Amino acid sequence: MNTEQEKADITINNFLSKVKHYYHAHEVGQIGDAYELAYKAHQGQFRASGRPYITHPVIVADILIDMGLDVATICAALLHDTVEDTYITDGDIRSKFGDEIADLVAGVTKLDKIQFHNKEEEQAENMRKMFFAMAKDVRVMLIKLADRLHNMRSLMYLSPEKQQVIAKETLDIFAPIAGRLGISSIKSELEDLCLKYLDNAAYQEISEGIALKKNIRQEIVDAFIEEVKEELREAKIEDFDIYGRTKHFYSIYKKMLRQNKTLAQVYDLTAVRVIVDTIKDCYAVLGAIHARWKPMPGRFKDYIAVPKPNMYQSLHTTVIIETDNHTYPIEVQIRTHEMHKIAEYGIAAHWKYKEGVKGATSMDENLSWVKEVLSYDDDLKDSTEFLDLIRRDISNTNEVYVFTPNGDVKSLPAESTGLDFAYLIHSQVGNKCVGIKINNKIVPLDTVLTTGDTVEVMTNPNAKGPSRDWLKIVKTASAKTKIRQFFKRELKDEYIRMGRSMIEREIKHRGINPAELMTPEAIQAACDRYMLANVDEMYAAVGYGSLSLNQVVVKLISSNKVIYERIRTQQSARKKQQTGNKENSVIIKGVDDLLVRFSRCCSPVPGDEIVGFISRGRGVIVHRADCPTLKNMESERIVKAEWVNTGDKTTFPVTIEIIAEDKGGVFADITKVIANEGLSFVAINARKDRQGNAIATITVEISNHDQTNQLMNRLQTIPAVINVYRTHG
């Protein structure tokens, strides 16, 4: 037996023992069944570390047991990679374990069966699916977080390039999500592991620096703790736990960056935590500590009276202690046992401590931000924008706390304006807003809020609604989305009409009868794929430009089996015919009986000046004469080439790049021009450049050079378009 197998056996045996300790007999049987299926499915598969793959789902399940999750979650964790990586199907899991466990596994499974244009689009679609599943059942995200935690723990076995990509995604998305869900134990470990791979020099400096002065710092903290115990006993507070803990590396790292300090200049590396029975005791402890030690100004936070959005509650204060003629700041956190459970396990405490944690209402409030993220879907222009919105929204942990006129506390991200507050209250309050009062004074709508402000929104039921300038005033993604949704609703009928026309025209262009293709089943499949309520929502999304025309039509075709098989047969026959035509459309001077291929880097079409490159074993590859890649090729292998009459039936793929102002509907205008030209899409990709312009890269089937120029000229007439050009290698 090899060493890795021995380690795997120890991991599995420890897990199975823990299952017997934590769960009832019938639950142990169900978890055992899930383990057996996962074990068989993953047999012969190995991790990058060399260990049997089954150790990964076992460790993920083990992490979730420590978090106190229920049996369904543990079973789903054991099975979470089976559908994605083995012969096991969703139907297999559904028939053996039921819908609850199957739905959890489906929520975690990536969209690996779909072809994406780029990595960014794939990541965005997987994130969208994950948030959608989390909105229905938060346990999906808890499994995903445990999965990511184990992957980060074993990241050393991957290449440096993959380490960087995975660590960056984890720091941008998964660690902030753990924070939003209040699971500080996972958030802290993920952040520290990310730091290890993204800035190893800083990680080592902090690690070694903390170890170097550990004994000195421990003596100071231990002495402080003993003095606190004496103060609390004198204050008649008997039942308490108190201990010191080193702050996690990433929080120290952020402080060093934020304050431009070295590790030697950061003194509060350790926090002292006091845990008591009641809220009354929390404030009594605070009073006793402030009576004995001087608090640092501006460092007191009362998260008991005003909890964080992730349910976190605690009192935070930093006091100054003197020792050996030196002063040291020490942060003290004071909370009840129940608050401590929620601080460590966040939303998972709902399962771990059911008797002591408020249930569905708290969970719904805690997950309201997930529904806001999903609302961004209505306004997406491309994958990059969706990912940017997610990163910005979930990672913004700096908050301001303001009051309504009734005294209710509302939290918003730092830098939020009065108008953001109006939209936080309700979208209609924002839409009908005509003024803002802060502390009883009328102020401009763009006034930035500060903690402690009392904010009142003045509304008028006859107000016309927001102006587009408001998009520059609001700072929160939620407010921006609600404003854009207002304009979309105002023009929804027009977008529906435009989208229907575009889809029907594209379907006819592909030689298909719209009535035959647009069956209820195909429409439902397309709506489900893009999480749309009905066919009108699909039309509106295409008309607005937030959903690709090509994506929708391809989904409709793939969901109609009769049409799909017919198209495949036609395309196969056409491809054979066109391949022959293309090979015969070019004469290579001085070369006979060689396969002719067309370069993808510059996509030559009839009318372009061309040359041939005699490759090794791949025939003659035809390039445009101005293709930059020719500069790096052996000149003796380049031969003259010229076109012969190809006719209009033979088509060639041409890639065109379009730079445009990032305005709503510009992509709809582009697809409309292409459809009007009677051309077929091969691919379309969209992104933003550093100047904020929209960049669309499209590939279409073209017959000749003149047709290419005509299309480019038509695209240039779109008002928002800045420049149009063919790609060159």
Side-chain angles (χ1 to χ4, degrees):
M1 183 182 290
N2 61 49
T3 305
E4 293 303 332
Q5 184 62 54
E6 289 175 351
K7 291 177 181 176
D9 289 342
I10 292 171
T11 298
I12 292 167
N13 290 332
N14 288 342
F15 166 74
L16 295 175
S17 297
K18 185 182 286 189
V19 168
K20 291 177 182 177
H21 178 74
Y22 279 96
Y23 297 94
H24 297 299
H26 70 280
E27 295 175 326
V28 171
Q30 190 175 17
I31 293 172
D33 289 343
Y35 166 75
E36 289 296 333
L37 182 60
Y39 180 83
K40 291 176 183 175
H42 290 297
Q43 216 160 18
Q45 296 179 349
F46 295 89
R47 298 273 287 173
S49 62
R51 291 191 187 182
Y53 194 91
I54 186 61
T55 58
H56 170 63
V58 163
I59 292 172
V60 171
D62 192 85
I63 292 168
L64 292 165
I65 289 177
D66 289 340
M67 292 169 64
L69 269 297
D70 60 346
V71 175
T73 311
I74 305 306
C75 290
L78 289 167
L79 299 166
H80 80 271
D81 275 337
T82 54
V83 174
E84 191 173 325
D85 296 331
T86 77
Y87 59 86
I88 301 296
T89 66
D90 176 78
D92 294 334
I93 295 176
R94 213 165 283 279
S95 62
K96 187 171 179 62
F97 295 97
D99 289 340
E100 182 183 12
I101 292 172
D103 287 343
L104 290 172
V105 174
V108 181
T109 302
K110 291 179 183 175
L111 301 165
D112 61 334
K113 302 295 186 290
I114 298 170
Q115 296 298 313
F116 298 100
H117 291 111
N118 53 54
K119 190 69 178 174
E120 196 88 331
E121 182 183 331
E122 180 181 6
Q123 187 186 26
E125 288 296 324
N126 280 313
M127 284 296 160
R128 189 181 286 116
K129 177 178 184 286
M130 189 172 67
F131 274 92
F132 190 75
M134 180 167 63
K136 292 196 291 186
D137 195 330
V138 72
R139 291 175 295 177
V140 168
M141 182 54 75
L142 300 181
I143 297 170
K144 196 70 181 175
L145 287 173
D147 174 56
R148 182 53 61 111
L149 180 58
H150 181 237
N151 284 335
M152 286 298 300
R153 286 175 180 173
S154 50
L155 205 58
M156 73 286 290
Y157 298 107
L158 301 184
S159 67
E161 293 78 14
K162 286 187 177 180
Q163 289 173 353
Q164 291 283 312
V165 170
I166 294 171
K168 183 72 168 63
E169 182 186 59
T170 302
L171 191 62
D172 284 349
I173 294 172
F174 289 97
I177 288 176
R180 277 297 194 107
L181 295 177
I183 312 171
S184 62
S185 55
I186 288 185
K187 174 180 181 286
S188 301
E189 187 175 353
L190 285 177
E191 288 179 336
D192 285 354
L193 289 167
C194 289
L195 179 62
K196 183 177 180 180
Y197 292 99
L198 294 175
D199 193 342
N200 187 257
Y203 180 88
Q204 295 300 332
E205 178 192 347
I206 294 170
S207 176
E208 293 166 8
I210 286 177
L212 195 64
K213 296 184 178 181
K214 183 178 179 181
N215 293 336
I216 299 173
R217 191 170 59 255
Q218 194 64 49
E219 288 178 11
I220 295 171
V221 172
D222 288 346
F224 175 71
I225 287 174
E226 289 304 314
E227 291 186 53
V228 171
K229 287 180 179 178
E230 290 179 14
E231 292 293 327
L232 297 187
R233 291 190 187 105
E234 287 183 16
K236 307 299 182 184
I237 303 170
E238 297 294 337
D239 296 325
F240 61 84
D241 294 326
I242 181 170
Y243 58 91
R245 62 172 189 88
T246 301
K247 293 185 176 180
H248 70 287
F249 291 2
Y250 188 70
S251 67
I252 297 169
Y253 173 76
K254 284 200 299 183
K255 185 166 188 174
M256 291 166 63
L257 289 181
R258 188 170 61 248
Q259 299 181 1
N260 195 25
K261 289 183 176 181
T262 64
L263 183 64
Q265 295 171 308
V266 178
Y267 296 106
D268 56 337
L269 299 177
T270 305
V272 170
R273 187 171 286 158
V274 184
I275 303 176
V276 293
D277 289 335
T278 67
I279 292 176
K280 182 180 178 181
D281 287 343
C282 289
Y283 288 100
V285 170
L286 179 70
I289 290 174
H290 280 184
R292 172 69 175 78
W293 291 278
K294 182 180 179 181
M296 283 183 67
R299 294 297 301 271
F300 170 67
K301 294 183 176 68
D302 188 344
Y303 293 119
I304 293 178
V306 186
K308 289 186 176 183
N310 64 6
M311 302 188 296
Y312 178 88
Q313 288 184 288
S314 190
L315 297 175
H316 288 197
T317 187
T318 301
V319 296
I320 303 296
I321 65 170
E322 294 185 8
T323 177
D324 299 330
N325 298 319
H326 288 88
T327 60
Y328 293 92
I330 290 187
E331 181 182 312
V332 183
Q333 300 171 356
I334 309 162
R335 62 181 67 150
T336 67
H337 291 283
E338 181 180 327
M339 292 172 189
H340 181 62
K341 294 168 186 174
I342 296 173
E344 290 297 304
Y345 298 103
I347 205 160
H350 173 76
W351 289 274
K352 191 173 181 71
Y353 302 99
K354 290 179 182 176
E355 72 283 355
V357 178
K358 295 174 184 177
T361 302
S362 296
M363 284 185 64
D364 288 344
E365 291 174 359
N366 188 250
L367 290 175
S368 60
W369 62 275
V370 180
K371 295 179 176 65
E372 284 194 5
V373 167
L374 288 173
S375 74
Y376 304 161
D377 236 6
D378 295 335
D379 190 53
L380 292 181
K381 291 185 177 63
D382 56 32
S383 306
T384 304
E385 184 179 5
F386 179 70
L387 289 173
D388 286 345
L389 279 170
I390 289 179
R391 293 185 185 111
R392 194 161 61 241
D393 198 52
I394 64 177
S395 63
N396 192 342
T397 55
N398 295 323
E399 293 163 334
V400 294
Y401 297 92
V402 298
F403 296 91
T404 68
N406 294 329
D408 296 328
V409 179
K410 300 291 182 182
S411 66
L412 293 101
E415 306 299 319
S416 293
T417 66
L419 198 53
D420 285 295
F421 175 86
Y423 277 101
L424 175 68
I425 300 301
H426 195 277
S427 57
Q428 283 304 309
V429 173
N431 290 339
K432 298 299 181 182
C433 174
V434 292
I436 296 289
K437 282 185 180 180
I438 296 180
N439 303 325
N440 290 321
K441 292 181 180 178
I442 297 176
V443 298
L445 296 178
D446 61 355
T447 301
V448 175
L449 303 176
T450 58
T451 294
D453 285 341
T454 297
V455 188
E456 181 182 352
V457 182
M458 296 182 288
T459 61
N460 183 339
N462 298 319
K464 293 181 179 179
S467 72
R468 293 196 179 272
D469 290 338
W470 286 15
L471 290 169
K472 299 175 183 177
I473 294 175
V474 295
K475 305 300 180 185
T476 60
S478 174
K480 288 181 186 292
T481 298
K482 289 172 181 176
I483 292 169
R484 286 172 174 153
Q485 285 174 343
F486 172 84
F487 291 115
K488 285 172 67 175
R489 279 193 300 271
E490 291 292 296
L491 300 171
K492 187 171 183 179
D493 289 344
E494 176 63 18
Y495 287 131
I496 290 173
R497 186 196 62 75
M498 186 186 304
R500 181 189 292 112
S501 175
M502 290 168 64
I503 289 173
E504 289 180 353
R505 186 166 55 241
E506 177 63 16
I507 292 170
K508 289 177 182 176
H509 178 70
R510 292 171 183 251
I512 305 169
N513 182 347
E516 187 181 2
L517 175 62
M518 299 282 284
T519 62
E521 293 76 19
I523 292 171
Q524 189 61 50
C527 289
D528 289 345
R529 169 67 183 83
Y530 298 107
M531 300 170 194
L532 300 167
N534 51 51
V535 68
D536 280 348
E537 293 292 332
M538 182 180 74
Y539 289 144
V542 172
Y544 180 69
S546 61
L547 198 57
S548 161
L549 172 64
N550 188 59
Q551 283 179 308
V552 172
V553 173
V554 168
K555 183 61 183 176
L556 289 168
I557 292 172
S558 65
S559 303
N560 188 315
K561 293 181 180 179
V562 174
I563 299 289
Y564 180 67
E565 289 302 323
R566 186 197 306 164
I567 294 290
R568 282 188 61 186
T569 303
Q570 291 172 349
Q571 286 180 340
S572 178
R574 192 182 302 122
K575 188 173 181 181
K576 289 179 182 178
Q577 181 184 7
Q578 288 183 353
T579 301
N581 288 339
K582 288 179 182 179
E583 289 176 352
N584 297 326
S585 64
V586 172
I587 294 176
I588 306 297
K589 299 283 184 75
V591 180
D592 293 320
D593 299 325
L594 272 181
L595 174 67
V596 174
R597 299 159 55 91
F598 291 86
S599 165
R600 292 183 180 178
C601 63
C602 57
S603 305
V605 299
D608 290 334
E609 192 176 337
I610 54 173
V611 295
F613 175 74
I614 303 174
S615 67
R616 291 183 173 89
R618 296 173 61 205
V620 178
I621 302 175
V622 178
H623 288 262
R624 279 162 44 195
D626 60 353
C627 180
T629 59
L630 292 172
K631 296 176 183 177
N632 302 318
M633 295 180 177
E634 302 163 74
S635 58
E636 62 273 15
R637 290 180 171 273
I638 298 174
V639 295
K640 291 182 179 181
E642 63 181 40
W643 298 98
V644 296
N645 185 21
T646 59
D648 292 333
K649 291 184 178 180
T650 306
T651 59
F652 300 78
V654 169
T655 301
I656 295 172
E657 193 145 289
I658 305 159
I659 304 175
E661 297 174 34
D662 186 19
K663 293 182 176 179
V666 65
F667 293 114
D669 291 339
I670 291 170
T671 56
K672 187 176 180 180
V673 166
I674 293 169
N676 288 339
E677 291 295 303
L679 303 175
S680 295
F681 272 112
V682 175
I684 183 167
N685 182 31
R687 65 187 189 280
K688 277 187 182 180
D689 64 12
R690 292 180 180 177
Q691 287 72 43
N693 293 322
I695 310 293
T697 305
I698 61 169
T699 303
V700 293
E701 290 287 348
I702 293 284
S703 297
N704 54 58
H705 183 78
D706 292 338
Q707 198 175 28
T708 306
N709 288 338
Q710 180 176 314
L711 173 61
M712 292 171 64
N713 291 335
R714 294 283 167 79
L715 290 169
Q716 192 72 64
T717 63
I718 298 173
V721 169
I722 299 169
N723 196 9
V724 180
Y725 56 90
R726 284 178 69 181
T727 56
H728 287 75

